Amino acid sequence: MMCSKLKRSLLTALMLSVCLLPLLAVNDEAGTTGFASLKNVYSARAIAMGQSLTGETSNPDGLHFNPASIIKIDGNEVGTTYTNAFVGSQGGQLQYLWPKDRFTAWGFALKYMNLGLMERTEVDQNGDLVSTGETFGASNIVASASLAKYISDAVDLGGSLKVIYDQIDSSSSTAAMLDLGLIHHPANEKLKIGLSLRNIGLQLTRYSDSDYKEKLPFTFAAGMTYDFKPGLMASLEIGKATGENIVGKAGVEYELTPAFDLRGGFRTSAGDGYNGGTLAFLSGLSLGAGWNWNNYRVDYGVSSYGDLGWINQLSLSYEF
């Protein structure tokens, strides 16, 4: 009986993914969206699990993936994440989670990214890039407020309002967006299913006086988690962002001891790092661990992008 329920739930999630993805996103605008930093994930736990947490419930790391997932967390939590990315890029996030009661939860986050200094080049009369000897920088800040609500024993809903300020050299732009999320609790309590629509919005100010308007990286994702036994959870997700191919993500988390977790994951966008180098075969893989002590939590995650490099993240949080 339980096996039958699991099969029906998995089939339902698969059908939703197959039916909705072609309608919500197409792939004929690759590379045409702006505000790419909206797709950055700031959670060492999520990075380690292949960024596949759209379907997880009671998840303090879920502000980026699914605003409905922050309901029913154990207590108030404040946390921060630091990320070290490519060619000197650095960023992070500060977040605060407030579960008002079992029916309502609030979440607030502030993300930043500094892309460091880059060499300024010009195109000569032969069409070649020529160094000017100058450099320029780029950075951005994203602020968000999230609300999750209990609807029924089977459904939780959530939404996030976000604004971004993006600066490249002396030019800047702003945009406002909405994220929407749903968590479904099937009859099988070991299985959870989530859907999310991210970055629904518009550009408020433009980088220049021209009429050119940046498109936002609208993203649809459907995911699920399954608790095989206490301390062993697996996650699976499929998603599509404007200007990108469909991406599959998977992760696993194993509680080695009550205080220590091991994690691993994989993203099918691994091909982005297949550029012929010696580390291309590692692209898409991720690993990490988490340590819990009293009300404190420390998480570390590393994700490979092949010969492009590694992304390292460290998260610290305190529950009260």
Side-chain angles (χ1 to χ4, degrees):
M1 183 69 175
M2 183 176 293
C3 182
S4 178
K5 290 180 179 178
L6 173 60
K7 289 181 179 179
R8 288 199 299 269
S9 297
L10 291 174
L11 181 60
T12 299
L14 181 61
M15 291 178 64
L16 283 171
S17 300
V18 172
C19 293
L20 292 177
L21 279 169
L23 297 175
L24 294 172
V26 293
N27 196 34
D28 57 357
E29 297 180 336
T32 62
T33 63
F35 303 102
S37 61
L38 291 169
K39 295 178 285 187
N40 292 346
V41 175
Y42 298 93
S43 164
R45 178 171 177 261
I47 286 290
M49 297 181 66
Q51 306 176 27
S52 59
L53 299 185
T54 293
E56 187 180 16
T57 62
S58 306
N59 180 19
D61 301 299
L63 285 179
H64 171 83
F65 302 96
N66 188 341
S69 67
I70 65 172
I71 203 166
K72 299 172 185 173
I73 59 176
D74 293 333
N76 292 18
E77 183 175 300
V78 60
T80 182
T81 295
Y82 170 77
T83 181
N84 181 281
F86 314 126
V87 293
S89 299
Q90 300 180 50
Q93 173 173 286
L94 294 171
Q95 68 179 37
Y96 171 65
L97 298 167
W98 173 38
K100 182 180 178 182
D101 51 44
R102 64 183 295 264
F103 302 106
T104 305
W106 292 88
F108 306 91
L110 185 65
K111 304 178 183 179
Y112 74 93
M113 174 61 76
N114 188 330
L115 300 179
L117 294 178
M118 292 164 276
E119 182 181 7
R120 191 190 303 276
T121 59
E122 295 180 348
V123 180
D124 64 15
Q125 58 185 6
N126 297 319
D128 299 321
L129 294 177
V130 179
S131 174
T132 64
E134 301 176 350
T135 59
F136 69 97
S139 61
N140 58 75
I141 297 176
V142 182
S144 66
S146 304
L147 172 65
K149 294 289 292 184
Y150 166 92
I151 303 301
S152 71
D153 289 343
V155 175
D156 298 319
L157 296 179
S160 298
L161 289 175
K162 304 188 298 186
V163 292
I164 181 173
Y165 172 80
D166 191 66
Q167 183 172 15
I168 302 175
D169 199 6
S170 59
S171 301
S172 63
S173 180
T174 59
M177 296 137 290
L178 174 67
D179 291 356
L180 299 174
L182 176 149
I183 292 288
H184 172 49
H185 306 268
N188 183 351
E189 295 182 356
K190 295 183 177 182
L191 177 67
K192 306 297 179 184
I193 298 172
L195 300 173
S196 70
L197 305 174
R198 304 195 288 267
N199 305 321
I200 307 168
L202 70 161
Q203 186 178 15
L204 301 178
T205 62
R206 305 184 183 186
Y207 292 102
S208 67
D209 295 331
S210 70
D211 292 333
Y212 185 80
K213 191 172 184 179
E214 301 285 348
K215 295 180 180 179
L216 298 177
F218 169 75
T219 303
F220 168 78
M224 64 183 72
T225 60
Y226 190 79
D227 295 320
F228 288 95
K229 64 179 183 177
L232 178 60
M233 185 267 284
S235 56
L236 182 66
E237 180 175 323
I238 185 170
K240 175 72 174 64
T242 302
E244 293 185 358
N245 294 320
I246 294 175
V247 177
K249 304 173 183 179
V252 63
E253 180 176 63
Y254 175 63
E255 184 182 278
L256 191 63
T257 72
F260 190 72
D261 299 321
L262 293 176
R263 303 171 183 126
F266 181 75
R267 308 177 325 278
T268 61
S269 54
D272 296 343
Y274 292 165
N275 54 6
T278 57
L279 298 178
F281 72 98
L282 293 175
S283 186
L285 293 174
S286 56
L287 295 170
W291 178 62
N292 303 282
W293 179 72
N294 290 337
N295 294 335
Y296 295 91
R297 192 177 86 224
V298 180
D299 296 305
Y300 173 74
V302 59
S303 181
S304 172
Y305 285 76
D307 286 298
L308 296 175
W310 300 79
I311 287 182
N312 294 268
Q313 290 194 357
L314 179 67
S315 297
L316 308 173
S317 61
Y318 174 69
E319 183 183 298
F320 58 96

